[in-house]
Amino acid sequence: MEERGLDTVGEESDEVGGATPLSWEANLFDGFEGDSFSPRGGLYYRDNAEQRAGSVEFQSDVTYGSEGALKLSVRPLWQGEEDRSERAEVWERTSLRVPFDKAVWYGFSVRFADPIPQADHRHLIAQWKREIGPEARGDYSPFLALRLVRGRLFATVETTFPVIPGPVLSSTRTSGLTPVWLRPGKRQMRALVATDPDWRPADGHLFTAYTDRITVVNRGNSLPSPDSGWIDFAVMTRPGPDGTGHIELFANDRWVVTVRGHIGHDEHGLGSRQYFKFGPYRSAAQSEWTLYFDNFRRSKRGEDVLGSAGLAALRADQIIA
C-alpha cells in the first residue's frame, strides 16, 4: 500500500534552532555525523505503522568519507503476510518539498549489508514521488525509484500513458523504445530505465511491452552491482506528465542514463510538490534487511551534488548539444 504524501504524522519541527525556516530552494546536506539528523539536512525518520518494522541508528563503524552514517534496517513484522509492507525510510520535511514542475538535484551514498535480498518481490532503496492528497483515487507509485530484484539493482520511471504491445526487452540498450510493465488496474505503467551488469532477461519478466512516450539515452555505464561496496548516486528530477519530464542518473560519478518524456502522474487529488525518501522498503519477508546511507545532499545546482567527472561529462554534452 502506498502512503499518502500529504500526511505529516511524526514530522520534526521545520525550524532550525529557532532560526527562520529553510525554503525548498535551500541547499541541504547531512553527513549523519551526530546522534540525530542535522537541522541543515531537512530529514526526519517517519513514524507510522509500517515503519514499526524498521530501525534507524546513527553509527560510526560503517561510513563513507565521513565520521558517521545511518544504519537503516527492517525486521520481519508481518511474517511474510501478503499485501503487507515493511519500511525504514527517511523523509524530507514537508515544508522543504520541491514544486512538482521544478528541477532539483539529489545525492546520497548507499551500501548494502550482507545478506543482500535475493527474492523476486518488491525491494526499494530510494523513491521520488508526487504528493497524494485525500481526494486522489487509488495509489500512485513513485515516478522514479531505485529497486532490487533477485539481488540485482535497477531503476524505474512511472507514468500513465498507452503503449505499443511488443516483445519482452531485457535491456534498455537494445531498442529505441523503452520496455514497460503495464499496470491497468492502477492506470499506470512502469518503465525499466537502467540495470546493473548482472541483469538477466528473467529479471525483467514483467516488462512485456514497450513505449516511445519515455525515452532513455544510455550514457555507457550500468548501475553498480549491490555487492560492489559504497555506491554514490547523483540524480536530477524534473517530472513532466505532459511529456516534458527529465531525469539524469549518475552512480559513482559515472553518467548512467538520461530519461525524458512522460514522467509522473497528473490526476485529480495529486499535490503540487514532489518529495524524496530513502531506506529499505519491501513486501513483508522473513529475514532482516539492512542498508547504510551517508552524504545526503540536495540542491538546485548540479555543481553542489555531482563529482568532478560527472559534472565535466554533463557540461560537455550540453556544449555539444
Side-chain angles (χ1 to χ4, degrees):
M1 179 69 69
E2 300 291 341
E3 292 177 308
R4 293 284 165 170
L6 297 179
D7 182 6
T8 59
V9 175
E11 185 174 355
E12 296 178 355
S13 170
D14 288 330
E15 294 191 0
V16 182
T20 302
L22 299 172
S23 76
W24 74 266
E25 298 181 287
N27 285 1
L28 305 179
F29 177 80
D30 199 337
F32 312 116
E33 296 178 334
D35 57 4
S36 62
F37 293 105
S38 167
R40 291 292 173 182
L43 301 172
Y44 73 102
Y45 186 74
R46 192 80 161 185
D47 180 14
N48 61 27
E50 290 181 342
Q51 296 270 114
R52 289 201 301 269
S55 64
V56 56
E57 178 185 349
F58 292 82
Q59 53 82 53
S60 59
D61 294 329
V62 181
T63 68
Y64 185 54
S66 66
E67 296 181 1
L70 277 184
K71 180 181 180 181
L72 297 173
S73 303
V74 287
R75 59 180 175 82
L77 180 63
W78 305 108
Q79 302 304 316
E81 184 178 337
E82 289 189 18
D83 300 322
R84 295 284 192 174
S85 297
E86 295 163 342
R87 305 175 185 253
E89 292 184 313
V90 172
W91 293 56
E92 293 176 292
R93 290 175 175 169
T94 303
S95 65
L96 299 181
R97 292 176 180 177
V98 177
F100 189 65
D101 60 348
K102 301 297 183 182
V104 62
W105 282 88
Y106 290 89
F108 63 95
S109 307
V110 62
R111 183 182 180 96
F112 289 77
D114 290 327
I116 297 171
Q118 301 296 313
D120 185 10
H121 61 69
R122 182 173 66 249
H123 287 83
L124 282 78
I125 68 169
Q127 51 180 314
W128 290 257
K129 299 192 68 174
R130 184 172 186 168
E131 293 175 324
I132 306 173
E135 296 183 359
R137 185 167 62 92
D139 296 317
Y140 292 85
S141 295
F143 64 80
L144 171 64
L146 296 174
R147 301 173 181 270
L148 194 72
V149 64
R150 301 180 181 180
R152 281 140 190 162
L153 190 61
F154 68 111
T156 61
V157 166
E158 196 95 10
T159 192
T160 309
F161 277 98
V163 298
I164 306 168
V168 175
L169 299 179
S170 62
S171 171
T172 58
R173 302 174 187 171
T174 60
S175 173
L177 300 179
T178 301
V180 290
W181 172 27
L182 301 182
R183 308 171 70 210
K186 293 184 177 292
R187 308 185 310 281
Q188 300 169 38
M189 68 179 185
R190 180 173 297 168
L192 177 66
V193 300
T195 62
D196 76 12
D198 298 319
W199 189 261
R200 300 292 181 267
D203 301 322
H205 67 90
L206 294 173
F207 298 88
T208 56
Y210 61 94
T211 185
D212 62 356
R213 300 299 182 96
I214 298 172
T215 302
V216 178
V217 179
N218 188 283
R219 299 296 183 173
N221 299 291
S222 300
L223 293 172
S225 299
D227 60 0
S228 62
W230 281 100
I231 303 171
D232 186 69
F233 286 103
V235 182
M236 190 277 284
T237 66
R238 191 187 71 204
D242 61 351
T244 60
H246 181 192
I247 289 171
E248 300 288 358
L249 174 59
F250 290 75
N252 292 337
D253 213 22
R254 295 178 178 177
W255 205 350
V256 179
V257 291
T258 298
V259 184
R260 294 184 182 273
H262 300 270
I263 298 172
H265 308 283
D266 187 16
E267 297 189 31
H268 176 73
L270 297 181
S272 62
R273 296 177 294 182
Q274 57 179 300
Y275 65 99
F276 172 61
K277 52 183 177 176
F278 63 86
Y281 162 39
R282 70 181 183 187
S283 299
Q286 300 283 356
S287 59
E288 186 168 309
W289 179 30
T290 295
L291 297 169
Y292 295 93
F293 286 86
D294 208 347
N295 301 320
F296 168 77
R297 62 261 189 211
R298 192 189 85 182
S299 175
K300 294 170 59 180
R301 307 185 331 145
E303 294 91 326
D304 300 324
V305 174
L306 284 165
S308 58
L311 188 59
L314 187 65
R315 285 174 169 168
D317 183 81
Q318 289 175 337
I319 291 173
I320 292 173

